[in-house]
Amino acid sequence: MSDAQGTPRPPNRGSLRLVLVADPGLPSEIARSLAPRLPGQLRRATGAAVRWEVDAVTVPLVADDQVDVSRIADMVSGHLEGMGWDIGIFITDLPRRARLYPVSVEVDTERRVALISLPALGSRRLRRRVRQAVVDIVRQMVSRERALEHPKVIGRPPREPAPGLGPQPRALRRYVVPGLRGHVRLISGMVRANRPWRLFGSLSRALAGVFATATILFINTATWNLATALSAWKQALITVVSALALSAWIIIDHRLWEHADELPARHHPLYPYNLVTLITVALAVAFLAAMLFVTLVAVSFLLLEPSVLRKFVGRPVVAGDYLFLCWFITSIAMIGGAFGTGLEGDEEVRDATYGRRQRERQRQLKERSARSEDGEED
């Protein structure tokens, strides 16, 4: 059994217990979904004639991306008191990097603890990748094997130590996902953590502005004439311009773009956080446009009689006219969304735009900046 400090118990040849300690939110959901299926997979992967027990625990982990897995184990030990465990694996949505390489996994073989960073695993088949990472980590600790069964998932050890992550003990192994694949995984994983499809659902004033503008345009006969007269490339141009305008308005008006001179020294935020912000907002605008377009198409075919529309456009009406009308209204309604987001508070927009980890990071940066300014004044 573990002692009062939450350290692992001595190995038991009859059974081994793995505890998955996950951040709230997506990491906790993944851990709880994997826990029932892992015992059989671990038994097959390790070849050990033992009975595996897997528990999932939700614990808020540290928000500092410079803390290694051993210190994290010390910080959360109080939450693991009374639990008898042999191996502890922490799952977080905190992005970690060694130089510019995303860190996917850190393993402390001496203390039998490990840390999995979800953003470095990407956004596709995430549960499967986490399961493969867990299996590889356990094989290393139980079988003392350095070879990875799923190297494409975990990556490889960095070729040189990374500054800023502190000295690396001999028992600590870090794995990075190098090259373009690693950067794409990191960005997509961080964007997924922000859940862009939920942004406008949390901004009632922005939604009201979009749908109010769309309603006014829908019942305006001048809109019918103009929409059915425009060519496809002009419609596409209007769509792109309105989407870019709405995205830029949200980022600039609510100060979502980070500037190096506004942050503490030695902090380099421009990559990947600003890129993630840009993609998150752009995807949110795209989701909003798609939702509005589908709604308008359904309403137009239901309420707008072809004979009425033909009277104003002066020619026979086809299905394409309905689609062009809804496309045009969707594009222009994005401008109404910009006015609506202008009525939202900065904190409301930040809470809707970013996931929990990004909000914690920004809170920490503000606190550091405030302490730095107080120190300069003193």
Side-chain angles (χ1 to χ4, degrees):
M1 298 296 288
S2 63
D3 59 23
Q5 302 301 318
T7 54
R9 64 183 181 182
N12 185 331
R13 293 186 178 181
S15 66
L16 291 173
R17 172 169 289 181
L18 167 68
V19 58
L20 302 177
V21 185
D23 264 323
L26 180 61
S28 179
E29 295 174 9
I30 293 177
R32 294 186 181 281
S33 67
L34 291 180
R37 295 178 291 173
L38 276 173
Q41 295 168 345
L42 293 176
R43 186 170 56 252
R44 291 190 296 269
T46 60
V50 297
R51 179 171 57 89
W52 281 95
E53 300 174 9
V54 180
D55 294 322
V57 181
T58 301
V59 175
L61 302 177
V62 299
D64 189 347
D65 60 1
Q66 305 300 322
V67 177
D68 63 36
V69 63
S70 303
R71 288 188 58 195
I72 293 176
D74 293 333
M75 293 175 182
V76 304
S77 61
H79 296 276
L80 304 181
E81 289 183 5
M83 295 183 62
W85 56 277
D86 301 288
I87 298 174
I89 297 182
F90 308 112
I91 304 176
T92 180
D93 52 2
L94 176 70
R96 300 169 66 84
R97 287 183 295 159
R99 295 186 185 273
L100 289 180
Y101 293 145
V103 175
S104 57
V105 170
E106 289 184 5
V107 182
D108 187 336
T109 56
E110 192 172 281
R111 300 188 60 176
R112 300 198 298 278
V113 293
L115 174 67
I116 299 175
S117 177
L118 295 184
L121 301 185
S123 59
R124 296 176 57 249
R125 298 177 295 182
L126 190 55
R127 282 174 170 77
R128 177 182 176 184
R129 289 174 175 174
V130 173
R131 173 176 54 81
Q132 292 172 339
V134 170
V135 169
D136 272 359
I137 292 169
V138 173
R139 283 180 64 247
Q140 282 195 9
M141 294 184 181
V142 173
S143 306
R144 303 295 181 183
E145 298 180 12
R146 285 184 173 268
L148 300 176
E149 185 177 348
H150 307 97
K152 289 185 177 181
V153 174
I154 292 183
R156 60 164 176 77
R159 292 192 175 93
E160 56 185 350
L165 284 177
Q168 181 169 321
R170 292 184 61 184
L172 182 63
R173 303 174 190 167
R174 291 193 180 99
Y175 295 89
V176 300
V177 184
L180 180 61
R181 177 168 62 98
H183 295 289
V184 171
R185 275 194 187 182
L186 180 67
I187 296 299
S188 62
M190 293 176 67
V191 170
R192 174 173 177 169
N194 286 341
R195 298 173 297 181
W197 55 89
R198 297 180 58 177
L199 193 158
F200 282 97
S202 303
L203 302 178
S204 57
R205 295 180 181 88
L207 276 180
V210 168
F211 281 95
T213 305
T215 301
I216 294 172
L217 291 173
F218 185 78
I219 61 176
N220 192 319
T221 57
T223 303
W224 304 352
N225 287 317
L226 182 58
T228 54
L230 288 174
S231 60
W233 74 268
K234 288 184 178 180
Q235 290 265 36
L237 180 61
I238 294 172
T239 302
V240 171
V241 170
S242 61
L244 290 176
L246 176 55
S247 301
W249 178 267
I250 295 173
I251 293 173
I252 295 172
D253 185 54
H254 297 284
R255 297 187 291 277
L256 303 183
W257 197 261
E258 296 182 356
H259 301 276
D261 56 354
E262 298 176 354
L263 297 171
R266 295 185 180 180
H267 191 86
H268 304 282
L270 301 184
Y271 178 84
Y273 294 102
N274 278 338
L275 180 57
V276 169
T277 295
L278 183 61
I279 296 175
T280 298
V281 174
L283 285 177
V285 171
F287 284 124
L288 174 65
M291 178 184 67
L292 179 59
F293 177 76
V294 170
T295 302
L296 288 173
V297 169
V299 171
S300 65
F301 279 105
L302 182 64
L303 299 180
L304 193 55
E305 290 291 334
S307 58
V308 176
L309 186 58
R310 177 180 180 178
K311 177 180 178 181
F312 288 94
V313 301
R315 57 177 174 78
V317 176
V318 296
D321 292 317
Y322 284 89
L323 299 180
F324 265 63
L325 174 61
C326 298
W327 185 6
F328 178 75
I329 294 175
T330 299
S331 301
I332 302 302
M334 294 296 102
I335 299 175
F339 287 111
T341 58
L343 300 176
E344 304 279 3
D346 289 347
E347 290 303 318
E348 292 175 333
V349 174
R350 289 179 183 274
D351 289 344
T353 303
Y354 297 124
R356 186 180 66 89
R357 276 301 181 188
Q358 179 70 335
R359 295 197 303 271
E360 287 182 358
R361 170 183 170 273
Q362 292 179 341
R363 176 183 55 79
Q364 285 189 343
L365 292 176
K366 287 182 178 180
E367 292 176 355
R368 292 177 189 173
S369 297
R371 288 196 299 266
S372 177
E373 291 175 0
D374 293 340
E376 291 178 359
E377 292 177 359
D378 294 340

